[in-house]
């Protein structure tokens, strides 16, 4: 969700990747619109270092943002900020404080980010760290390659999204075209195997699988764990522009 808290610079739209922010920011008095599917986000530069915004994810909630960015050295930029919002229906609160550091230039950059997502509603509670890396590399006067990777330790979820970026003639807008690979690891317990029930009385009668019957386990004795990954791949198309 930290992509909600930043906007682009006119120099290559350097402050955003696909979803996540970089250490660059927008200029004073700049108005910026970003559309990611049904998500609509508006940002405004109060000064050359501070921006605020408002938006809605899927029209299921409304949020406000604020961020501060600064240049630490010739090629090192840092941004800190927060997003706070409420759902449009029911009770709840979601918040995302974050910090990101970027090394490079608007045409070639790499970022490391850290945030803490907190979402609490009537029946959903999600809290935990969010780690991400992102980068952009210029490929020509009107094209570039942009990527980002997310990892959520609490839910063991990883998101990888490579995209090509295409700019308009005047560099006032761009489109990202690519895909997002969502992967989540699920872990379950393995229990002690007692045997096969061939008499259908709940008591193991044999260890020979050729005899048939139901498998019987001791669910009070854990002998190990196993895990598997579930994956979902979706196309990504995003659009952003200065107003």
């Amino acid at each position: 969700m930290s992509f909600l808290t930043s906007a682009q610079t006119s120099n290559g739209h350097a402050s955003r990747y696909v979803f996540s922010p970089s250490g660059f920011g927008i200029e004073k008095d700049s108005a910026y619109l970003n559309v990611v599917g049904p998500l609509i986000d508006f940002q405004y530069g109060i000064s050359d270092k501070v921006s605020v915004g408002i938006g809605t994810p899927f029209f299921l909630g409304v949020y406000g943002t604020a961020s501060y960015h600064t240049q630490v050295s010739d090629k090192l930029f840092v941004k800190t900020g927060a997003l706070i919002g409420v759902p449009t229906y029911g009770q709840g609160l979601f918040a995302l404080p974050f910090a990101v550091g970027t090394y490079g230039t608007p045409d070639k950059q790499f970022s490391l980010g850290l945030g803490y997502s907190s979402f609490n509603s009537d029946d959903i509670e999600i809290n935990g760290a969010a780690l991400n890396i992102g980068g952009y590399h210029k490929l020509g006067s009107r094209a570039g390659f942009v990527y980002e990777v997310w990892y959520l330790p609490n839910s063991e979820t990883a998101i990888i999204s490579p995209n090509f970026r295409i700019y308009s003639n005047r560099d006032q807008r761009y489109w990202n075209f690519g895909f997002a690979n969502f992967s989540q690891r699920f872990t379950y317990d393995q229990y002690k195997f007692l045997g096969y029930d061939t008499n259908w009385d709940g008591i193991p009668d044999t260890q020979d699988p050729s005899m048939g019957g139901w498998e019987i386990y001791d669910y009070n004795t854990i002998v190990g764990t196993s895990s598997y990954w579930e994956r979902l791949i979706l196309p990504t198309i995003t659009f952003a522009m200065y107003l």
Side-chain angles (χ1 to χ4, degrees), residues 186-205:
F186 293 91
T187 301
Y188 60 93
D189 294 326
Q190 293 180 322
Y191 299 97
K192 182 180 180 181
F193 177 68
L194 300 178
Y196 297 92
D197 176 16
T198 59
N199 295 323
W200 314 103
D201 57 4
I203 299 174
D205 303 303

Side-chain angles (χ1 to χ4, degrees), residues 120-159:
N120 297 280
S121 66
D122 296 334
D123 51 7
I124 299 177
E125 183 173 335
I126 302 174
N127 297 284
L131 313 174
N132 82 285
I133 63 174
Y136 174 78
H137 299 275
K138 182 179 180 180
L139 299 178
S141 60
R142 294 180 56 192
F145 177 70
V146 60
Y147 62 90
E148 62 183 65
V149 178
W150 288 83
Y151 183 63
L152 311 177
N154 282 18
S155 61
E156 293 190 277
T157 300
I159 305 171

Side-chain angles (χ1 to χ4, degrees), residues 15 25-26 28 39 44 65 68-69 82 92 107 109 114 133-134 155 158 166 210 218 230 243:
S15 73
I26 62 174
K28 180 181 179 181
L39 184 146
Y44 180 76
T65 68
Y68 172 84
H69 58 273
D107 292 337
Q109 54 176 282
L114 172 65
I133 63 174
S155 61
I166 307 298
S210 65
D218 178 4
E230 286 193 353
L243 301 176

Side-chain angles (χ1 to χ4, degrees), residues 74-98:
D74 183 44
K75 291 186 177 182
L76 182 60
F77 302 82
V78 175
K79 178 185 291 178
T80 59
L83 175 152
I84 299 177
V86 295
T88 53
Y89 178 78
Q91 298 181 345
L93 176 70
F94 53 93
L96 178 68
F98 76 94

Side-chain angles (χ1 to χ4, degrees), residues 167-186:
Y167 295 94
S168 64
N169 287 331
R170 295 188 176 182
D171 226 20
Q172 289 295 102
R173 62 180 64 90
Y174 74 76
W175 292 262
N176 285 330
F177 299 95
F179 68 89
N181 183 345
F182 300 84
S183 300
Q184 186 172 14
R185 183 184 182 189
F186 293 91

